[in-house]
Amino acid sequence: MASSNSDTSGRARTAVVTGGGPVGAATAILLAQHGWSVQVFEKASMPSGQPSQHDQRAYRLTMTVRALRVLKLLNVNVGPLITTQGKFFEAAMFKADGAVFMSAKVPMADDPPCLRAFRDEVSLCVIKSAQQLYPHAIKFHFNAQVQEVNLTRQTVSVSFGESTMTQANIGYDLLVGADGAASAVRLALQQIMPASYVRRYRHKQVYSMTQMTPANPAKIPPYAVFHAHSAKEGIVLWDARGADDCRVGLVVPQECADALRQGQTEETVAMLNASCPALPDYVRKAVMELACSKPCFYPMPSWTYLSQFHGPKTVLLGDAAHTMSPVMGQGLNSGLEDVGVFAECLQQHQDNVDMALPAYTQQRLPDVQAIMTINEVVASSEVGLRVQDQDAAHYLWILGHKILLMVHVVLRTVLHKAVPSMFSGPLVASMVQGSLPYRALTSAMYKDSIVFAAVLLSFAAFWLHR
């Protein structure tokens, strides 16, 4: 009798994973753990880890407990990432007046609560673990572009190398779409889904990053640091892992980026001189040099929000299912958590994919809806949304949820300070830094607003009946 990870002939079932990034490689390990034969197709070359000094697009990502516990479950060795952090990781967000909005400094250990790394560093780490753990079950194909997905025949057409002349049709028993925001798998699923399947909003701001060479290396902390300083029109980023690995970034509106590309720097330089009072002088100097270098600017990831994460023998994970702004640092964390939830569904349904796939959507969708809501509300304040993407109804929706989030933060802060033994503080930090379910925050927002409204109505009724 065939096992749950074999077909009726006893052959190991075959999974095709599109996308060899952290989410795709982690999913390959998960499926290999369950006895699947896995082929991973990645359109880029084998990741090298660190970007080049002249790469103005790459920025580091923060992995929190939400992502790290999934990598631990999959036996991924994150030791190489830990060694790059130093003894601490320090993160801080500053308001335009220089006041600290949020900050944290955590010690690094063998089992750290967070890590900061480039996407390619994480990809390389997971790929190497996959190759070491399951050398026969997992095969990676780099420079391999998925050209077409046939959901009916359960095949994908893949081209290899720079030439599209070398192609092959690969059959699968399970197709995993982990190929990012421009997912070929999602595109195929859209053909059989309702027209309202995808909802998209875009940032009105763009960003540029650059490597920084400090004049005085002794001033750079010998550990991982990430600071975000709000300016009048934009954000200044400082991202370092010691003196040899420093990057600065600039987030500005598109019209400001266009002016900088044309060498019109006066307004931006004046803005930077008048803003970010807490910004170290050597960082300010590096940002000024970036602004005056006619840098390339890149769009920040837009929101692509799906209402279903599976199709026939198909599942979407990570950015292929839900692309979001990097403002709250939850893109990679939520993507790897997708893998953990999918693992739970496979376990619960004893590797029965036909039952696990709808269970995954049912279990995961409420949390994705929650983080997309929170992310969009926060980003609309921090970096803004393009006006052409918003109608009056969407504007009112954003405004309403901003009020709900503000009520939650203020009410929980007051109650926690008054009676700390009975009330917890705002849940935002627990969600961002820990593993609190995303839906727990939106649920608290709605409940706290109801309580706040009830108290106001009670006071109003009492006042009227005096």
Side-chain angles (χ1 to χ4, degrees), residues 12 69 75 85 137 164 170 183 214 218 255 304 326 340 395 418 438 449 458:
R69 68 177 182 178
N75 298 315
Q85 307 295 303
T164 58
I170 313 294
S183 171
E255 55 271 21
T304 302
Y395 177 80
Y438 296 126
S449 296
S458 298

Side-chain angles (χ1 to χ4, degrees), residues 395-407:
Y395 177 80
L396 290 174
W397 181 90
I398 287 283
L399 179 61
H401 280 81
K402 280 184 181 179
I403 294 172
L404 294 178
L405 182 58
M406 181 180 66
V407 168

Side-chain angles (χ1 to χ4, degrees), residues 216-291:
N216 187 354
K219 290 185 176 181
I220 308 298
Y223 49 79
V225 175
F226 175 70
H227 289 178
H229 298 257
S230 294
K232 182 180 179 181
E233 289 188 5
I235 302 172
V236 174
L237 306 175
W238 177 40
D239 185 4
R241 291 188 307 197
D244 296 330
D245 188 4
C246 300
R247 294 177 76 82
V248 294
L250 188 59
V251 181
V252 293
Q254 181 67 62
E255 55 271 21
C256 179
D258 293 340
L260 290 175
R261 288 289 294 162
Q262 296 171 13
Q264 301 170 10
T265 62
E266 294 80 7
E267 289 188 11
T268 301
V269 169
M271 183 254 310
L272 291 172
N273 280 323
S275 304
C276 310
L279 193 67
D281 290 341
Y282 51 87
V283 178
R284 187 184 303 275
K285 181 175 181 291
V287 175
M288 292 287 192
E289 291 175 352
L290 171 63

